[in-house]
């Protein structure tokens, strides 16, 4: 029997090639580049070897124009991040228009990139606050009941969008792991959302930044996470719940991808999107290439 036919030989093959899954990218990674030249950025992404793109919203553009740019680059868009509120194409806007926009770009999933903050909270930056500081203040005020209300919000929106053939998801940061007695926000969302309606997108960089093991989280909630943000962090990252991490390119940080990638696939993840947080140590498109090339070759 040839080595390639043995278990050891099979395990040595590149993960994504063996799994038959595309390597995607969350366009947030290239935000400033995409804002200046969307078409050129998408073509550069495709030239690197990425096959799919997750949009960080509709970027102030008509969905039809986004689809034209994606098609021109030969990229598919299976997922779009949709804000809980703040405009028409949000979960609190006209869901019919949102569904039409998602269909126009070819998306199958609308993912909430952050929780819905209760109306009692002051949603504008206070004196001396930047956006990160405002978010940290809001997060610190979230209660278990607030997270239960978020779960109900997701269930309601997912019920309506399911009629349009669309899935609703939720993407974590690290603040969802802030302890609330014996539980935390993400555990409440997982418990209180309907598995037949709501899926989850695990951001493994933020999970690790919270001091948790992404593989263990996936194993505990098999089938609930169907998408992943492939994100790495430096070993210097101190566990926290305050939206802080020391980012780096995938494969050069603290996360064990040879362990995590097969664990993710075994738990039900099929959508993988590279995402890197600022600050960047090199041009963003170069960082995106480093991430892709590592993933394309990693044997897991």
């Amino acid at each position: 029997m040839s080595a390639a036919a043995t278990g050891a030989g099979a395990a040595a093959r590149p993960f994504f090639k063996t799994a038959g899954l595309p390597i995607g990218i969350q366009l947030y990674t290239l935000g400033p580049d995409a804002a200046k030249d969307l078409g050129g950025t998408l073509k550069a992404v495709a030239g690197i070897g990425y096959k799919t793109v997750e949009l960080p919203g509709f970027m102030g553009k008509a969905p039809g124009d986004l689809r034209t740019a994606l098609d021109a680059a030969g990229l598919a868009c299976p997922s779009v991040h949709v804000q809980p509120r703040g405009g028409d194409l949000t979960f609190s806007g006209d869901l019919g228009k949102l569904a039409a926009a998602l269909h126009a770009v070819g998306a199958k999933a609308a993912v909430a990139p952050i929780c819905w903050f209760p109306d009692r909270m002051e949603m504008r930056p206070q004196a001396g606050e930047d956006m990160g500081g405002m978010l940290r203040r809001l997060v610190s005020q979230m209660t278990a009941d607030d997270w239960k209300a978020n779960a109900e919000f997701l269930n309601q929106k997912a019920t309506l969008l399911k009629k349009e053939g669309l899935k609703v998801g939720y993407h974590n940061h690290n603040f969802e792991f802030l302890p609330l007695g014996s539980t935390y926000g993400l555990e409440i969302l997982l418990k209180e959302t309907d598995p037949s309606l709501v899926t989850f997108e695990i951001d493994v960089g933020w999970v690790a930044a919270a001091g948790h093991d992404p593989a263990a989280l996936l194993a505990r909630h098999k089938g609930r996470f169907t998408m992943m943000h492939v994100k790495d962090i430096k070993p210097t990252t101190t566990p926290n719940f305050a939206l802080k991490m020391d980012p780096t390119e995938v494969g050069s940080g603290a996360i064990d991808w040879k362990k995590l990638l097969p664990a993710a696939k075994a738990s039900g993840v099929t959508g993988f999107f590279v995402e890197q947080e600022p600050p960047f140590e090199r041009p963003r498109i170069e960082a995106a290439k480093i991430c892709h090339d590592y993933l394309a070759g990693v044997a897991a």
Side-chain angles (χ1 to χ4, degrees):
M1 182 180 291
S2 69
T6 68
R13 295 181 62 195
F15 169 80
F16 282 95
K17 184 175 182 179
T18 302
L21 295 171
I23 302 173
I25 188 168
Q26 162 55 253
L27 206 59
Y28 165 84
T29 304
L30 302 168
D33 302 341
K36 292 177 184 177
D37 180 7
L38 177 62
T41 299
L42 291 176
K43 288 178 181 178
V45 163
I48 288 170
Y50 287 103
K51 301 300 183 185
T52 60
V53 166
E54 182 179 56
L55 293 175
F58 294 96
M59 307 172 64
K61 300 184 181 298
D65 292 341
L66 288 170
R67 180 61 178 269
T68 297
L70 288 161
D71 287 348
L75 294 165
C77 175
S79 175
V80 177
H81 275 195
V82 175
Q83 294 293 330
R85 57 181 170 183
D88 204 22
L89 296 181
T90 69
F91 283 117
S92 295
D94 185 325
L95 291 186
K97 290 183 179 179
L98 175 60
L102 291 165
H103 287 312
V105 299
K108 302 297 183 184
V111 179
I114 199 165
C115 63
W116 178 87
F117 293 110
D119 293 336
R120 70 173 188 278
M121 296 184 184
E122 179 51 65
M123 297 293 293
R124 292 172 296 183
Q126 303 297 288
E129 277 185 342
D130 58 10
M131 185 59 67
M134 184 190 78
L135 287 173
R136 287 189 285 274
R137 169 175 53 81
L138 296 174
V139 167
S140 70
Q141 299 174 22
M142 292 287 285
T143 67
D145 284 341
D146 292 332
W147 287 111
K148 290 178 181 178
N150 265 269
E152 181 56 27
F153 178 85
L154 292 169
N155 284 333
Q156 291 175 354
K157 303 307 176 182
T159 298
L160 295 171
L161 287 173
K162 184 177 182 179
K163 299 174 183 177
E164 299 283 351
L166 296 162
K167 197 80 172 179
V168 166
Y170 183 86
H171 160 276
N172 68 275
H173 289 78
N174 63 347
F175 62 76
E176 289 92 349
F177 295 89
L178 179 68
L180 293 169
S182 61
T183 188
Y184 47 84
L186 187 61
E187 287 284 357
I188 294 172
L189 291 179
L190 286 159
K191 180 180 178 182
E192 299 289 335
T193 50
D194 184 339
S196 71
L197 296 172
V198 179
T199 189
F200 286 81
E201 179 174 60
I202 182 172
D203 188 309
V204 296
W206 283 121
V207 173
H212 287 250
D213 178 358
L217 178 66
L218 289 165
R220 286 200 307 274
H221 300 284
K222 191 172 184 178
R224 295 307 310 275
F225 292 90
T226 57
M227 293 171 280
M228 172 186 282
H229 275 187
V230 184
K231 180 181 294 177
D232 218 335
I233 60 172
K234 294 179 180 178
T236 52
T237 301
T238 301
N240 71 94
F241 311 111
L243 291 166
K244 296 179 181 180
M245 69 162 59
D246 296 332
T248 189
E249 288 76 29
V250 175
S252 60
I255 292 179
D256 183 353
W257 296 104
K258 293 182 179 181
K259 170 187 173 184
L260 182 55
L261 290 172
K265 182 176 180 289
S267 76
V269 175
T270 56
F272 294 83
F273 304 101
V274 165
E275 186 181 56
Q276 187 170 334
E277 299 288 340
F280 286 76
E281 297 177 351
R282 53 184 50 84
R284 292 179 183 232
I285 195 67
E286 290 183 17
K289 186 177 189 309
I290 290 170
C291 294
H292 173 275
D293 291 352
Y294 171 81
L295 291 170
V298 66

